[in-house]
Amino acid sequence: MQLRTLFGGAAVAAIAAAALGGLYAWTRAAPIAPADAPPAPPPPAVLAAGARVVALGDCMVCHTAGDGPAYAGGLGLRTPFGTIYSTNITPDPETGIGRWTLDAFRRALREGTSRDGHLLYPAFPYIHYTRMSDNDIELAYRYLMTRTPVHAPAPANELMFPLSFRPVLAFWNMLYLRPGGSDIPARQATPIERGRYLVDTLGHCASCHSGLNLMGGERSPAFQGGRIDGWNAPALTRLTAGDAPWTQADLVEYLRGGLAPGHGAAKGPMRPVTERLAGVPREDVEAIAAYLISIQVAPQAKPAPAPATRPAAAVVAGEGPGAQLFAAACAGCHAAQAPMMRIADRPGLARSSAVLGSDPANFVQTVLQGIPWESGSNVYMPPFADTLDDQQIAQLAAYVRTGIAAKPAWNDVAATSAKARKENQQ
Ligand code: HEC
Ligand code: HEC
Ligand code: HEC
């Protein structure tokens, strides 16, 4: 190598290093000094109000790994860029937020910046929490600071470069973070305003229901539907259109109880959301439902709806491999005369968005994974990943789509199933 190019290379390397150093310095916020002592335990009314905020914000869902201790973190969140682990938000002084002041906690939620100044990944939905009211932030803080401290360092993230280099998040924040203040009249709001606050801010519903662009930012306009962990999160702006239109009352039932008469159960990544909402006051869920109804786009004129159940000829005769499989594996619960169908206004498969949707992802995932039983719920479906192969799942899909829901068959169900199996194992 000639001397000139060597010097040139060294100069480029020096400039690059200086630029990275500058970027690092520019993006790193000042640390906030640790608290000397934990805050005094709050009165019971404050604790109860804090529990409500934390339930509406779903904090436990992401900050708890499998059967691990609540809020101790360690859950791996899969993103197209790699896996990010949630951190410990119990009040453990070393590995949790035990020495965080309220200011440090507020800055994390409003700006996505940790106490020591490093930028946080947007898998933590601070772009929504940034608009939390000051009061709600304080309530969440005081509640979390009374949880059982657990010593649990977060596992190292598995991210590809350059995303493993946190300062690049400063650019992402320039694009997607609109830091909020306490501008929400949380208490005096009308139900629709309160609902909007709960959906857009604490509930961060858009992080699944809007879909992400190539930069990992939420698509706009919001709520047009997205993908999460191999499931479709349906559009939330077309709930009152389609073959099985939702009413406000249906939404309240579904969001609080995980089962809507006339539609179906909450499954996959939606299930923990409804489990948390089951524990908040009914008025909050009514506000969410009122807001959702207010954002519906006018339903398009559509042809006369298909009858809810219209078995195709082959089905009446119980012919075809799909019909036989259904009779053997599914009809014990899902046939119209099955005992399960007489408990709690069971909808029947023909009105489920997992069956009516334009692609088979949610049907396939429901059959593969089933619906885990949760105490207090009357919904349980066993997983069939080990008993049915991809071909059989495709045959069942063909039968349920055409025979039960009277809809055209989906394409490529076996391939969807094979892919979902692989992804579910990761
Ligand atoms: C969708 C998943 C998700 C939800 C819901 C969520 N978090 Fe997190 N949170 C994360 C992840 C992932 C991180 C770690 C980000 C990182 O390391 O860059 C994190 C980090 C944090 C941190 C920073 C901790 C530290 O040591 O730097 C705080 C504080 C926090 N979350 C509080 C909350 C609160 C309060 C709620 C509920 C209002 C909440 N989180 C809900 C995923 C989530
Ligand atoms: C032990 C009972 C049981 C068996 C067996 C069963 N399911 Fe289910 N399934 C349920 C329950 C419970 C739900 C939730 C809906 C409800 O409660 O009505 C559900 C929901 C579904 C849904 C989604 C509907 C919705 O809620 O949106 C599909 C699709 C489905 N089942 C397909 C099947 C297929 C295909 C089979 C056979 C391979 C099968 N199920 C076997 C109990 C069962
Ligand atoms: C972690 C991702 C995630 C979050 C957060 C989330 N959802 Fe969902 N949601 C889903 C998925 C996936 C489905 C489809 C699964 C199913 O039908 O059970 C779904 C289904 C639904 C449905 C049923 C739609 C239909 O057509 O069947 C409604 C309504 C809904 N979500 C509302 C909400 C609201 C309101 C919030 C915020 C409070 C929310 N979701 C937050 C993932 C999510």
Side-chain angles (χ1 to χ4, degrees):
M1 190 193 289
Q2 282 184 1
L3 211 56
R4 255 213 339 255
T5 52
L6 187 68
F7 273 117
V12 169
I15 292 169
L20 281 183
L23 178 66
Y24 186 74
W26 169 59
T27 59
R28 196 162 175 111
I32 294 182
D36 298 329
V46 170
L47 267 190
R52 175 177 177 180
V53 173
V54 165
L56 286 163
D58 263 349
C59 316
M60 195 167 104
V61 176
C62 288
H63 283 278
T64 307
D67 295 334
Y71 303 105
L75 180 73
L77 302 171
R78 271 187 286 146
T79 75
F81 317 105
T83 302
I84 300 174
Y85 290 90
S86 64
T87 49
N88 180 349
I89 55 169
T90 71
D92 178 58
E94 270 108 54
T95 60
I97 60 168
R99 301 195 67 203
W100 286 43
T101 56
L102 173 59
D103 281 345
F105 185 78
R106 190 187 301 111
R107 183 174 73 173
L109 294 178
R110 288 228 195 281
E111 297 170 28
T113 302
S114 189
R115 188 189 65 74
D116 69 3
H118 74 260
L119 296 179
L120 296 165
Y121 287 106
F124 167 39
Y126 58 86
I127 59 162
H128 294 282
Y129 300 145
T130 186
R131 290 185 296 276
M132 278 170 74
S133 70
D134 277 340
N135 189 48
D136 280 357
I137 291 180
E138 180 168 358
L139 289 170
Y141 173 75
R142 300 196 65 183
Y143 176 79
L144 288 170
M145 294 306 266
T146 60
R147 298 304 89 199
T148 310
V150 179
H151 185 90
N157 295 327
E158 294 138 24
L159 288 169
M160 52 174 107
F161 189 80
L163 282 162
S164 48
F165 183 61
R166 288 184 184 259
V168 300
L169 294 169
F171 294 107
W172 195 91
N173 285 341
M174 278 163 64
L175 293 174
Y176 300 110
L177 174 63
R178 302 280 168 271
S182 52
D183 54 341
I184 293 100
R187 292 282 167 261
Q188 298 82 16
T190 64
I192 290 183
E193 281 165 353
R194 167 102 180 129
R196 187 222 297 274
Y197 172 68
L198 295 179
V199 165
D200 284 350
T201 301
L202 276 172
H204 63 93
C205 316
S207 45
C208 296
H209 285 279
S210 291
L212 303 182
N213 60 27
L214 288 175
M215 299 273 294
E218 284 168 16
R219 288 207 194 95
S220 75
F223 307 126
Q224 304 298 307
R227 295 273 297 180
I228 171 87
D229 291 347
W231 292 75
N232 289 328
L236 293 182
T237 49
R238 293 191 292 276
L239 292 167
T240 52
D243 292 321
W246 292 72
T247 65
Q248 193 165 326
D250 293 342
L251 287 167
V252 174
E253 286 293 300
Y254 175 83
L255 293 169
R256 291 196 83 217
L259 177 65
H263 300 277
K267 305 172 290 294
M270 188 60 197
R271 190 109 200 119
V273 176
T274 60
E275 277 158 14
R276 299 283 83 71
L277 291 177
V280 305
R282 189 178 176 94
E283 68 198 60
D284 285 344
V285 179
E286 280 169 352
I288 291 175
Y291 174 64
L292 289 180
I293 292 294
S294 80
I295 60 169
Q296 298 306 303
V297 296
Q300 294 140 356
K302 58 181 169 71
T309 9
R310 196 186 66 199
V315 171
V316 176
E319 283 165 16
Q324 281 166 23
L325 275 170
F326 191 86
C330 324
C333 293
H334 286 294
Q337 70 282 10
M340 178 183 107
M341 299 307 289
R342 282 183 249 122
I343 312 169
D345 256 343
R346 274 340 212 265
L349 293 180
R351 295 184 50 87
S352 161
S353 60
V355 174
L356 295 170
S358 57
D359 81 63
N362 288 5
F363 176 90
V364 165
Q365 290 286 24
T366 306
V367 176
L368 287 175
Q369 300 184 21
I371 307 177
W373 187 79
E374 198 44 46
S375 64
S377 115
N378 53 12
V379 171
Y380 167 76
M381 170 164 154
F384 287 93
D386 294 338
T387 31
L388 296 172
D389 63 26
D390 299 329
Q391 206 48 49
Q392 291 170 316
I393 290 179
Q395 290 165 346
L396 277 167
Y399 167 73
V400 172
R401 269 289 278 193
T402 59
I404 296 183
K407 286 271 177 190
W410 289 305
N411 295 323
D412 302 329
V413 182
T416 304
S417 173
K419 190 160 166 265
R421 263 180 220 275
K422 235 191 246 144
E423 285 174 4
N424 293 350
Q425 265 161 16
Q426 276 168 11

